[in-house]
Amino acid sequence: MDFIQLQVNYLDWESPVVQSRRNMEVARKHGKPVVIMEPARGGRLADLPAAVAAPLLEARPDLCQASWAYRFCYNQPGVLTVLSGMSTSDQVRQNVAEWREHGDAFSPKEQKALDAACKVLASVPTVPCTNCRYCVKDCPQQIAIPEIMNLLNLEVQTENTEFAKQHYSWQAAPGRASDCIQCGACEAMCPQSIDIIEQLEKAAEHFE
């Protein structure tokens, strides 16, 4: 292959499901350039919770939140291009201007601010799913348990239920959270001892 397209952004950088950092390392190991998709996580990194945005705003009040997301991707080694969803000519002009004016690497002060924002994100209590997929193997309902756990985490990290719900509509397949018959096979297999049945009930309530 000539290049690889990967989902990369600072929200998914250490995600056990998306594994942005690890995938970038594999591409780099094999000398393959990367085309980045989802740099702003579907727009969510352009509309951050206040606590996450605070250190970014303090460091650079002149920058929009999306700028931090794009620059994080621009400056990863081996990046060929960064894809951005645009629907108007004004958005094209804005993104080109953003690259020309703010496409440089983070200064030490800016990197410290982004690290602080990521630390706030990491401090949010989440489901400790590592995407090992042991839970899926014997599920009689074929429920997409790891994907659903990831969406519950996305919901609390972004403080946006509607955003996670939109992803749920296509990621929770073939089995949905409400298909759970509470047989307990998944919980018996989970190395992290996650209360999967309870979490699936929460997902059904929030997303269906």
Side-chain angles (χ1 to χ4, degrees):
M1 59 186 72
D2 295 318
F3 66 89
I4 301 171
Q5 181 169 310
L6 296 173
Q7 177 170 319
V8 176
N9 54 72
Y10 66 78
L11 177 61
D12 291 324
W13 191 241
E14 298 293 350
S15 165
V17 177
V18 181
Q19 301 187 65
S20 291
R21 176 183 59 79
R22 294 183 66 186
N23 286 328
M24 287 290 289
E25 289 173 352
V26 171
R28 201 152 53 239
K29 176 182 176 181
H30 294 280
K32 299 300 179 183
V34 174
V35 172
I36 289 180
M37 61 180 286
E38 295 288 340
R41 200 53 153 81
R44 289 319 307 152
L45 297 183
D47 185 20
L48 296 166
V52 180
L56 307 182
L57 184 61
E58 182 179 354
R60 288 291 303 271
D62 58 315
L63 292 184
C64 66
Q65 294 174 14
S67 176
W68 293 87
Y70 288 127
R71 286 175 68 202
F72 176 84
C73 295
Y74 290 152
N75 292 290
Q76 294 302 321
V79 172
L80 185 63
T81 191
V82 177
L83 303 179
S84 171
M86 297 171 282
S87 54
T88 68
S89 56
D90 284 342
Q91 289 175 356
V92 175
R93 283 190 286 270
Q94 180 181 2
N95 281 358
V96 171
E98 182 69 28
W99 163 252
R100 287 175 173 167
E101 294 175 22
H102 306 298
D104 53 320
F106 291 124
S107 68
K109 177 182 178 181
E110 290 170 331
Q111 186 61 57
K112 184 177 179 180
L114 184 61
D115 290 344
C118 291
K119 186 175 181 179
V120 175
L121 279 173
S123 71
V124 176
T126 56
V127 182
C129 177
T130 61
N131 198 34
C132 69
R133 310 198 72 81
Y134 294 150
C135 58
V136 178
K137 182 178 178 182
D138 294 320
C139 177
Q141 301 298 96
Q142 295 185 302
I143 297 173
I145 296 171
E147 287 76 13
I148 293 172
M149 299 299 107
N150 183 54
L151 289 172
L152 285 170
N153 290 341
L154 182 64
E155 178 187 27
V156 297
Q157 288 175 323
T158 62
E159 297 182 3
N160 191 319
T161 298
E162 189 58 35
F163 177 64
K165 187 175 181 178
Q166 291 170 3
H167 284 69
Y168 179 85
S169 65
W170 60 273
Q171 289 188 18
R176 297 162 66 83
S178 58
D179 293 332
C180 176
I181 58 175
Q182 303 187 4
C183 67
C186 56
E187 294 189 355
M189 294 294 293
C190 180
Q192 308 301 325
S193 301
I194 298 171
D195 53 344
I196 296 174
I197 294 173
E198 183 176 338
Q199 296 298 332
L200 289 176
E201 288 178 343
K202 182 190 298 185
E205 179 183 346
H206 290 200
F207 304 146
E208 296 184 15

